[in-house]
Amino acid sequence: SLAVSPAAGPADERVETRVAGLSPEQPVTLRAVAADGRGCLFQSCAHYRADSRGELHLGTDASHGGDYPGVEPMGLFWSLAPAGMERPYQRLVPRSIGDPMKVEVLVHQGHSPPGAIPGPVVAKAEVERWFMAPGVRRIRLKEGVVRGSLFLPPGDGPFPGVVDMYGDEGGLVEFRSSLLATRGFAALSLPYFDFEDLPKVMKEFRLEYFEQAARFLQRHPKVKGPGIGVIGTGKGAELALSMITFLPEVVAAVSVSGCSSNTVADLHYGKMTLPGLRFDMNKVSVSDTGVFDIFEALDDPANPANSPSTIPIEKAEGHFLLVVGENDRMWKSSLYAELAIKRLRQHGKENFELLSYPGAGHRIDPSFTPFCQVAMDRVLGVPVLGGGESKAHAHAQEHSWGKIQEFLHLHLG
């Protein structure tokens, strides 16, 4: 028999997986299988041996092979990757966060390597992973020029308010906002290009758009004041740094794998402009398998010639949480965090915390989000190396997700 509990629960919560009724020392392969919104199949596997009682507990027993080694209670979830017949380099992120992600967990006889046809199934169970807890409300926004989705926790509130932004993939990415609402935050998932009537590409941005979003959230009757928080990944992180620097409404900023200078698209605010650092495509290397490595391609923010692009974060009155993976290959986020900290310290500021994770890559998402070392870049249309090693990255996601929530509660009440 196979028991996975809870059988339904939030996607950022651990489950407990136990197998009973095997022969003593029996070798088995555990597999997880899930499909995304487009029907693309993802799977993972690990090799285990039953104990002397014919039992197995993923919380204490080690995997001896497959997609990860060692004791990893959630390894089957974070190592989910496109099945052999699917296009590689796809991320398993929910397109529709209203529907739970269904994951089937199977126990097969014997040890079968990843990609091989597994042995006969001896037990199976289905798990539902929610991105919205029951009672969370999702409100689609058309407020002046602002677009997006507002997620409100159940109850009267008021709740701490957070603006949530992703990177250069564009569009509306909702799953982190819906999980934040599941955890008690009023979260505004804010797209800033390639969505509805927003600009199609990242050419230039006006901070006034982000200011309107911040003011809308701050004034919402369900949002605790006086200040709000902002969390961003990649390009979104750097926009978060600009928001806390220039907008008094924003008192806490979480930068995940961000740059301390403005990049790619010029940012205007009133008469001020922060020019965007550029990518030099001559500095991109391509592997034999056609994977693009853009690690060296961004203009150097530490070069004095690029100082007009630096975000003057020392002007911020609020608090910063910088989250970086030391094996980020998308760009040098560890270095950019060092530059940000140096700048704050030069101005006598200690209003920051740094979470720096050895072995973690670029996209540090909520706990148990499947690791994706190489992903198709929507802008370039080619696979780009994000870096990281699956186990270290998974541990970074779980640790940072708890710390991000603590930081936001501390500074937003």
Side-chain angles (χ1 to χ4, degrees):
S1 67
L2 168 66
V4 185
S5 60
D12 60 353
E13 209 164 82
R14 282 190 175 204
V15 295
E16 196 167 279
T17 306
R18 293 176 180 271
V19 187
L22 299 170
S23 316
E25 309 293 325
Q26 183 179 341
V28 288
T29 297
L30 265 68
R31 282 174 71 232
V33 181
D36 70 5
R38 294 177 301 214
C40 171
L41 207 61
F42 290 75
Q43 57 184 17
S44 60
C45 77
H47 301 160
Y48 288 93
R49 243 173 226 291
D51 64 14
S52 57
R53 296 189 305 264
E55 293 176 2
L56 190 54
H57 179 213
L58 266 56
T60 52
D61 294 325
S63 160
H64 304 292
D67 290 323
Y68 58 89
V71 178
E72 293 294 334
M74 295 298 291
L76 288 172
F77 292 83
W78 55 248
S79 62
L80 282 163
M85 70 286 220
E86 300 289 358
R87 279 182 321 160
Y89 313 136
Q90 298 189 74
R91 286 187 191 286
L92 179 54
V93 287
R95 299 271 181 274
S96 152
I97 42 88
D99 305 319
M101 185 187 289
K102 293 184 165 71
V103 182
E104 190 169 36
V105 181
L106 305 114
V107 183
H108 297 267
Q109 280 179 26
H111 287 166
S112 45
I117 294 171
V121 175
V122 292
K124 60 181 180 178
E126 191 175 75
V127 189
E128 282 193 359
R129 308 287 282 163
W130 302 328
F131 292 90
M132 275 171 75
V136 168
R137 286 172 57 210
R138 172 180 180 262
I139 301 152
R140 282 302 296 278
L141 268 204
K142 274 200 169 176
E143 190 71 29
V145 293
V146 177
R147 302 289 173 263
S149 296
L150 176 64
F151 292 89
L152 295 172
D156 296 334
F159 308 104
V162 183
V163 174
D164 175 28
M165 298 175 293
Y166 267 90
D168 61 8
E169 66 268 45
L172 179 65
V173 183
E174 296 178 309
F175 75 102
R176 184 164 60 192
S177 302
S178 59
L179 284 172
L180 281 168
T182 294
R183 299 287 167 218
F185 295 91
L188 169 55
S189 179
L190 185 68
Y192 48 94
F193 77 104
D194 196 25
F195 181 72
E196 292 183 352
D197 54 358
L198 296 174
K200 270 277 159 264
V201 292
M202 284 204 297
K203 197 165 173 196
E204 52 180 357
F205 294 122
R206 299 209 66 85
L207 197 62
E208 283 84 355
Y209 172 78
F210 302 91
E211 183 173 48
Q212 283 195 31
R215 286 181 177 166
F216 163 79
L217 187 63
Q218 184 201 27
R219 292 170 184 166
H220 195 282
K222 291 240 174 176
V223 172
K224 235 186 219 182
I228 60 157
V230 57
I231 178 171
T233 296
K235 178 67 190 174
E238 154 202 324
L239 287 163
L241 296 180
S242 292
M243 287 173 74
I244 192 172
T245 297
F246 297 109
L247 309 180
E249 296 86 355
V250 179
V251 298
V254 180
S255 160
V256 182
S257 309
C259 183
S260 46
S261 292
N262 185 53
T263 68
V264 185
D266 294 356
L267 181 68
H268 308 284
Y269 186 46
K271 293 191 169 71
M272 180 211 73
T273 295
L274 292 179
L277 296 180
R278 301 294 179 218
F279 280 95
D280 179 352
M281 294 314 280
N282 294 321
K283 291 184 179 167
V284 173
S285 62
V286 185
S287 75
D288 297 342
T289 53
V291 174
F292 283 58
D293 185 343
I294 62 173
F295 186 65
E296 296 288 348
L298 185 69
D299 290 345
D300 180 8
N303 181 341
N306 294 323
S307 63
S309 300
T310 306
I311 303 164
I313 53 174
E314 70 280 358
K315 294 182 176 173
E317 293 295 320
H319 289 81
F320 298 91
L321 178 62
L322 308 171
V323 182
V324 296
E326 293 172 21
N327 199 355
D328 183 349
R329 293 294 302 178
M330 194 70 83
W331 59 12
K332 303 174 184 179
S333 53
S334 289
L335 169 70
Y336 305 154
E338 278 172 37
L339 292 174
I341 287 169
K342 188 174 160 192
R343 189 175 181 95
L344 289 169
R345 286 199 163 132
Q346 278 170 347
H347 290 85
K349 298 268 184 123
E350 288 291 333
N351 55 341
F352 62 86
E353 269 179 79
L354 172 67
L355 298 175
S356 184
Y357 295 101
H362 181 69
R363 248 185 79 148
I364 299 174
D365 276 324
S367 310
F368 319 124
T369 302
F371 171 67
C372 186
Q373 189 182 50
V374 176
M376 286 306 283
D377 187 278
R378 234 189 34 84
V379 183
L380 300 171
V382 295
V384 172
L385 182 61
E389 179 275 307
S390 60
K391 194 186 235 195
H393 192 90
H395 292 181
Q397 291 194 145
E398 188 173 4
H399 183 264
S400 63
W401 185 234
K403 289 290 183 190
I404 286 166
Q405 293 172 62
E406 278 174 30
F407 170 84
L408 291 170
H409 276 302
L410 177 66
H411 297 294
L412 304 178

